[in-house]
Amino acid sequence: MSTGNKETLGWFALARSLLCITILALLSANASPSSTITQEKKKPRTDKPTEPVETPDQDDDPVRLHADLVVVNVTEADSKGEYARGLKKEDFKIIEDNSAQQVSSFSAEEAPFAAAILIDMSGSMGYKFSLVRAAAASFIDHIRDNDQVAVYGFNNKIHLFQDFSDSRDISDHVWDAIAGDSTRLYDCIDEAIASLAQRPEKRRAVLMISDGWDSTSRKATFESAMKKALSVGVTIHALDLIEDSALNGSGSDVLPLRRGRGEMKAFAEQTGGRYVHSPQGDTLDAEFNGLIDELRNQYTLTYYSTNQKRDGRWRKLNVSVSRPGVTLRSRRGYWAPKP
């Protein structure tokens, strides 16, 4: 072989060696940890999460997994008008739309309650306004540490004088308020029920005091306020300050006042509350204290409805007790939830 050919082969071997070294260096660089992390960040995750997913217990009652819990507060009184004590779970029977329901839980002991006091501040209240404020202050003074009470006032506006609290001192805003203007009763009931619906207490009530009828509500109606109260299990106690003489004759206020009294009675009867007539307001203090006793001595029953349809329909409730000589009050029914 000539000297030129030997030199050519030498250069070719050297070039091939350099090429191999370059390729190996590039492969080594691509295999470095930093390059691998970058690629993993860009690579989309296709693996499934490894954390365990909770599933319903196969032994759970299938009805309870899909049904809604219904709370029914019952006030019992014997022939003397005193609270009927000592009743047991098996003494009660609940019928929903002609179907017997199984009581899931039963409570007879004193339990904390949440109550919203709604004070009419319209111009017609006059001297009664001071009596109402004093009675509300007395009510709050008698609550327990774990009871929660809010105070609203309503005329042409809705005033939240005191949010839910276990304080036994009524807000100074209540004493400073002045009665005047018109009446937004339905809107105030609606707002109070919405707040009570967020409360954890099972005993929830509205204490409504008025001497007239709704005249200026913008959002709620009698029907919508009633429906909301029944849907969330809020009891409405109505304290009627309308004077009987105002319902006679043919004046322009007679028919609205009659309507107002009829609606106050309906709110109480349909939700299981107490209707109180105190035209002069002189019995309010005693009535308020009686309501505290009632809220403390109610029986609370819960059940899971056997009707699993979420159709928003009205469901009629009938609660009865086996002990003779006992009368009871409870809500007359509720609207089923919607999907």
Side-chain angles (χ1 to χ4, degrees), residues 226-286:
M226 177 76 80
K227 184 175 182 178
K228 180 174 285 190
L230 291 168
S231 297
V232 301
V234 170
T235 303
I236 298 180
H237 302 280
L239 285 77
D240 174 10
L241 304 185
I242 299 174
E243 296 186 18
D244 294 332
S245 59
L247 303 180
N248 301 322
S250 57
S252 59
D253 290 344
V254 171
L255 289 180
L257 283 172
R258 289 177 180 174
R259 188 196 79 199
R261 172 168 291 182
E263 290 179 348
M264 282 191 275
K265 287 183 177 179
F267 273 125
E269 291 172 357
Q270 291 294 322
T271 64
R274 181 192 296 190
Y275 168 77
V276 175
H277 180 214
S278 180
Q280 302 301 320
D282 51 349
T283 63
L284 284 178
D285 190 64

Side-chain angles (χ1 to χ4, degrees), residues 131-279:
L131 296 175
V132 171
R133 288 185 292 188
S138 177
F139 179 91
I140 291 177
D141 186 52
H142 287 83
I143 66 173
R144 297 167 300 189
D145 291 340
N146 51 358
D147 295 327
Q148 298 288 317
V149 178
V151 182
Y152 291 81
F154 61 93
N155 43 23
N156 62 323
K157 297 180 180 180
I158 297 173
H159 312 266
L160 177 58
F161 290 133
Q162 187 168 318
D163 206 349
F164 287 99
S165 167
D166 60 358
S167 171
R168 292 185 177 86
D169 294 322
I170 198 166
S171 171
D172 289 338
H173 295 298
V174 177
W175 300 115
D176 296 337
I178 300 175
D181 299 313
S182 53
T183 312
R184 288 181 63 186
L185 174 61
Y186 305 147
D187 283 352
C188 192
I189 293 175
D190 182 88
E191 187 169 318
I193 292 174
S195 296
L196 283 165
Q198 306 301 317
R199 301 292 314 171
E201 295 83 2
K202 290 183 178 179
R203 298 176 184 177
R204 298 172 293 185
V206 164
L207 282 61
M208 173 182 65
I209 311 107
S210 179
D211 73 336
W213 70 93
D214 184 281
S215 58
T216 53
S217 282
R218 305 162 194 167
K219 174 184 176 183
T221 63
F222 168 75
E223 291 78 11
S224 69
M226 177 76 80
K227 184 175 182 178
K228 180 174 285 190
L230 291 168
S231 297
V232 301
V234 170
T235 303
I236 298 180
H237 302 280
L239 285 77
D240 174 10
L241 304 185
I242 299 174
E243 296 186 18
D244 294 332
S245 59
L247 303 180
N248 301 322
S250 57
S252 59
D253 290 344
V254 171
L255 289 180
L257 283 172
R258 289 177 180 174
R259 188 196 79 199
R261 172 168 291 182
E263 290 179 348
M264 282 191 275
K265 287 183 177 179
F267 273 125
E269 291 172 357
Q270 291 294 322
T271 64
R274 181 192 296 190
Y275 168 77
V276 175
H277 180 214
S278 180

Side-chain angles (χ1 to χ4, degrees), residues 285-305:
D285 190 64
E287 296 294 347
F288 267 118
N289 291 332
L291 286 173
I292 287 184
D293 289 337
E294 178 168 324
L295 289 169
R296 289 177 177 172
N297 290 283
Q298 285 180 321
Y299 293 92
T300 300
L301 298 83
T302 68
Y303 71 93
Y304 289 91
S305 175

Side-chain angles (χ1 to χ4, degrees), residues 76-148:
E76 304 272 3
D78 59 21
S79 57
K80 297 180 180 179
E82 299 178 355
Y83 295 114
R85 306 180 189 278
L87 294 173
K88 300 179 181 179
K89 176 180 177 181
E90 52 268 23
D91 293 325
F92 291 88
K93 185 177 182 180
I94 299 178
I95 304 294
E96 179 185 295
D97 285 345
N98 300 318
S99 297
Q101 305 294 317
Q102 182 179 356
V103 177
S104 175
S105 69
F106 172 83
S107 174
E109 70 274 4
E110 292 190 2
F113 64 80
I117 302 175
L118 279 51
I119 301 175
D120 189 341
M121 295 173 51
S122 61
S124 61
M125 286 292 288
Y127 71 92
K128 299 176 186 178
F129 189 45
S130 297
L131 296 175
V132 171
R133 288 185 292 188
S138 177
F139 179 91
I140 291 177
D141 186 52
H142 287 83
I143 66 173
R144 297 167 300 189
D145 291 340
N146 51 358
D147 295 327
Q148 298 288 317

